[in-house]
Amino acid sequence: MATSNTPFLPLLTIAIFLSIPLLSHSEPQLTLDYYKTTCPDFARIVTATVTTKQIATPTTAAATLRVFFHDCMVDGCDASVLIAPNSFHKEERDNELNHALPGDGFDIVTRTKTALELACPRTVSCADILAQVVRDLVVMVGGPNYPVLLGRKDSLVSRLSDVEPNLPQPNMTMDVIINLFESKGITVHEMVALVGAHTLGFAHCSEFADRIYHYEKNVPTDPDMNPTYAEALKKFCSNYTKDPTMSAFLDLYTPGKFDNMYYRNLLKGLGLLATDQLMAEDPRTKPFVERYAANQTAFFEDFAEGMQKLGMVDVKTGDEGNVRDRCDVFNTFRT
């Protein structure tokens, strides 16, 4: 899953997403109308802010999906990834795996929080804002609509050390990735549907360079990659060591539209990331890739269900968290 000023080039991009597990403790009491009396214009304000931002910066949808995924997979959907780095503590965003999180994903949350604070001060949590904003953005770019339960509290901690054990990485085996998702309560078919978020966004050349330049000692290019596509990527990324911002679209053909083209590409060897292409080959995931490639409605239904589930992973309620005044800092400075 880059910032808004990263150059977009005519190849493919990334984005990354998952599904939701049942909580390890008691089921949180979230509701659809949580802000009905305390912030009645909540949904309208979010939609208006999202619409303005997405029109001005079309990469916002992919960026925010990635931020949402990185937040929910690490200690739950609690806005812990939004805490800005500082010189006193190492937060989640200090981890190398979060360094390339797109700036637009944070900016849209900040804009929405500012608008909501003017209408209903100290009422709406940043975790709820992120969940609602992501849904509205998915709909804006052609994806499925789905209900968003509300009532999350914002985390009281954000730890660098929690990131790496909880996020999938390009060099992981399918066994490791499946186990990671299952540890969050996410099934294999939900995982495949959520990774379909890669129909939007881009990946830096450094994230797939080993597939095209250093696959094996005597086989420089991954044989599972379409050879024509691989050669184009080699030329395109030839200067990536000097320019780390170089990136390619995850979906070669419709990188700005939420559709099932990502899965159709995988079946043609046009998966950008090794873990993505592996889903089209592993017998546990391949049937779902084929299903979604053939049936966009099925993909939309399962993605919507998966996003609802992902949005409930280890959410904080009651005194487990609070409502931050600003999304990028804790209310009380930690000593």
Side-chain angles (χ1 to χ4, degrees), residues 1 30 62 68 79 93 116 158 164 166 205 221 238 286 289 294 304-305 307 330:
M1 172 95 177
L30 306 189
F68 181 66
R93 282 169 68 178
L116 287 167
S158 177
E164 192 162 338
N166 289 291
C205 291
T221 304
S238 60
K286 183 177 180 180
V289 171
E305 180 181 335
M307 286 296 285
F330 295 110

Side-chain angles (χ1 to χ4, degrees), residues 134-193:
V134 163
R135 191 280 308 276
D136 283 6
L137 284 167
V138 167
V139 173
M140 269 200 76
V141 293
N145 199 347
Y146 56 88
V148 178
L149 292 173
L150 302 166
R152 300 167 186 79
K153 292 295 180 65
D154 298 324
S155 71
L156 304 176
V157 297
S158 177
R159 292 179 290 258
L160 176 151
S161 59
D162 291 342
V163 176
E164 192 162 338
N166 289 291
L167 288 178
Q169 299 174 47
N171 60 348
M172 286 182 171
T173 65
M174 188 54 65
D175 284 341
V176 173
I177 293 175
I178 288 175
N179 289 338
L180 176 60
F181 276 84
E182 288 182 339
S183 73
K184 309 295 179 183
I186 297 168
T187 67
V188 172
H189 98 266
E190 290 166 344
M191 177 192 78
V192 177

Side-chain angles (χ1 to χ4, degrees), residues 1-3 6 8 12-15 200-204 247-250:
M1 172 95 177
T3 59
T6 298
F8 292 89
L12 34 173
T13 295
I14 62 178
L200 305 172
F202 59 92
H204 291 98
S247 55
F249 290 121
L250 286 172

Side-chain angles (χ1 to χ4, degrees), residues 21-274:
L22 296 179
L23 300 191
S24 56
H25 42 277
S26 59
E27 186 71 20
Q29 300 302 307
L30 306 189
T31 64
L32 291 173
D33 60 353
Y34 187 81
Y35 298 108
K36 182 177 181 179
T37 57
T38 57
C39 193
D41 288 333
F42 166 73
R44 181 189 62 79
I45 292 172
V46 172
T47 299
T49 308
V50 164
T51 300
T52 300
K53 172 68 175 176
Q54 177 65 20
I55 290 175
T57 313
T59 56
T60 300
T64 313
L65 270 168
R66 190 174 180 190
V67 170
F68 181 66
F69 175 73
H70 279 232
D71 184 46
C72 292
M73 288 295 285
V74 181
D75 297 331
C77 305
D78 57 8
S80 54
V81 76
L82 302 181
I83 296 297
N86 60 74
S87 57
F88 302 99
H89 300 277
K90 293 297 183 181
E91 320 292 355
E92 288 179 23
R93 282 169 68 178
D94 286 300
N95 191 286
E96 185 177 358
L97 295 178
N98 284 334
H99 287 176
L101 284 178
D104 288 316
F106 298 101
D107 180 64
I108 182 57
V109 174
T110 299
R111 290 172 182 242
T112 307
K113 177 66 170 176
T114 300
L116 287 167
E117 284 298 302
L118 293 174
C120 10
R122 299 182 176 181
T123 300
V124 182
S125 70
C126 302
D128 274 348
I129 290 172
L130 181 55
Q132 186 87 356
V133 160
V134 163
R135 191 280 308 276
D136 283 6
L137 284 167
V138 167
V139 173
M140 269 200 76
V141 293
N145 199 347
Y146 56 88
V148 178
L149 292 173
L150 302 166
R152 300 167 186 79
K153 292 295 180 65
D154 298 324
S155 71
L156 304 176
V157 297
S158 177
R159 292 179 290 258
L160 176 151
S161 59
D162 291 342
V163 176
E164 192 162 338
N166 289 291
L167 288 178
Q169 299 174 47
N171 60 348
M172 286 182 171
T173 65
M174 188 54 65
D175 284 341
V176 173
I177 293 175
I178 288 175
N179 289 338
L180 176 60
F181 276 84
E182 288 182 339
S183 73
K184 309 295 179 183
I186 297 168
T187 67
V188 172
H189 98 266
E190 290 166 344
M191 177 192 78
V192 177
L194 285 172
V195 177
H198 284 180
T199 186
L200 305 172
F202 59 92
H204 291 98
C205 291
S206 59
E207 297 181 72
F208 55 88
D210 284 348
R211 292 193 72 200
I212 57 178
Y213 297 123
H214 317 292
Y215 183 68
E216 290 180 356
K217 184 177 180 179
N218 298 318
V219 183
T221 304
D222 186 345
D224 291 327
M225 181 177 278
N226 180 290
T228 302
Y229 179 49
E231 288 305 311
L233 286 172
K234 287 181 182 179
K235 295 177 182 178
F236 178 72
C237 293
S238 60
N239 201 40
Y240 83 95
T241 55
K242 296 180 179 178
D243 182 3
T245 66
M246 294 190 71
S247 55
F249 290 121
L250 286 172
D251 180 343
L252 180 62
Y253 295 108
T254 59
K257 180 182 179 182
F258 199 98
D259 56 20
N260 69 336
M261 184 61 72
Y262 163 78
Y263 298 104
R264 294 160 66 184
N265 289 338
L266 293 184
L267 296 179
K268 298 175 183 177
L270 299 175
L272 188 62
L273 302 179

Side-chain angles (χ1 to χ4, degrees), residues 275-295:
T275 49
D276 285 2
Q277 191 60 54
L278 189 57
M279 288 199 309
E281 300 159 11
D282 191 284
R284 294 164 293 184
T285 53
K286 183 177 180 180
F288 301 111
V289 171
E290 293 175 332
R291 180 182 183 220
Y292 298 147
N295 189 335

